[in-house]
Each structure stands twice: as structure tokens, then as C-alpha cells.
Amino acid sequence: AIDVELEQQALSKARIVVWQNPIYWYSVPPLLKLWFDKVLAYGWAYGEGEHALRGKVCQWVTTAGGDPAAWTPQGQHQHAFERFVAPIEQTAHFCGMRWESPLVVYGSHRISAAELQACARDYRERLLALVARESGELRHA
């Protein structure tokens, strides 16, 4: 069960929104899609009425089962990973959010502990940079 009111309250307070999920059949998992459908409601997130997410930063963090070579025209998925980003990116733009380039962890089910640690460091650094940037922009506003 998705508590839409609680989710919208949390989003209203946030300056940065992170969508973290595995890529699932070239999209978001069904539960996140349902969350989009329920929480990003007409009149609240887009359309006539309130635009509660306008100007907020959206960061997508996703895991992909294949290595980077699998996400090429010659690879298993026959397209670059960027080709599958558009629907998620457009969801953010449609709600007036500022899109950040996605953070993708490739081969997530078979990377080593050291590689996972490196990914975690990259993720942490990206979030800290976003927070620092957003805090700086608030001071200059």
C-alpha cells in the first residue's frame, strides 16, 4: 500500500529526489511505476493546480544486470543504456524537476566487493555534491 499523502508530504519537503531501483525489463519495476501513477498525481505534480515538484532535483540511481558492453548496439540489449533513460527522464521533466544524469551500476549481481565499494563511494560523492550545490543555490537566492 502506498500512502500517497505521506509520500507527497515527504516530496514537498525535499530539495533532491532520488529514484533508486534496478532497471527491470528496460524500465522501472512495477511498484515504482505504481508509485509514479499514485504519487505524481495530476493537479499535484503536473497539470492544472499545484506543481509541487517544480525545480526539485531528480537523481536516478539504477542497477543493470549486464556489463557496459551488453548495453551497446552490438551487445545483448542491442542499444546503448541511454536509450532506456528517456521515459524516466521525461517523467521528471513532466513534473518540472531538474534531471541529473543517471548513476548506473552495471553488472550489479556479479561485481566484486571492491567494485561495489567504489560504486558506493561514487554514489556518496554524487549525493554530497548535489546537496552542496543545492545548499549553495539556496544561499544565493
Side-chain angles (χ1 to χ4, degrees):
I2 297 171
D3 186 332
V4 172
E5 185 177 328
L6 187 65
E7 295 290 319
Q8 289 176 342
Q9 286 174 6
L11 287 168
S12 292
K13 294 175 188 174
R15 292 192 313 255
I16 300 166
V17 177
V18 177
W19 293 333
Q20 178 178 314
N21 60 276
I23 191 153
Y24 188 86
W25 286 108
Y26 309 104
S27 186
V28 298
L31 184 57
L32 183 54
K33 174 62 171 80
L34 180 63
W35 185 91
F36 287 164
D37 293 345
K38 299 284 187 183
V39 177
L40 305 181
Y42 177 84
W44 185 82
Y46 70 95
E48 293 182 32
E50 188 175 346
H51 294 274
L53 302 177
R54 182 172 287 144
K56 295 180 186 289
V57 171
C58 184
Q59 175 67 68
W60 185 36
V61 179
T62 188
T63 55
D67 61 19
W71 298 92
T72 64
Q74 300 76 28
Q76 178 183 15
H77 302 292
Q78 301 178 353
H79 297 282
F81 186 85
E82 291 73 26
R83 186 98 181 259
F84 303 98
V85 173
I88 295 88
E89 180 178 1
Q90 184 55 30
T91 299
H93 285 300
F94 197 71
C95 295
M97 300 173 82
R98 296 178 2 233
W99 179 255
E100 293 292 320
S101 62
L103 176 60
V104 183
V105 178
Y106 293 99
S108 57
H109 62 294
R110 56 180 172 252
I111 61 175
S112 69
E115 290 170 311
L116 183 59
Q117 285 286 23
C119 290
R121 277 191 303 276
D122 290 347
Y123 189 3
R124 183 176 191 274
E125 288 172 12
R126 186 179 291 214
L127 291 178
L128 289 173
L130 283 173
V131 169
R133 186 186 77 200
E134 291 304 301
S135 297
E137 287 181 11
L138 285 177
R139 283 194 292 272
H140 293 92

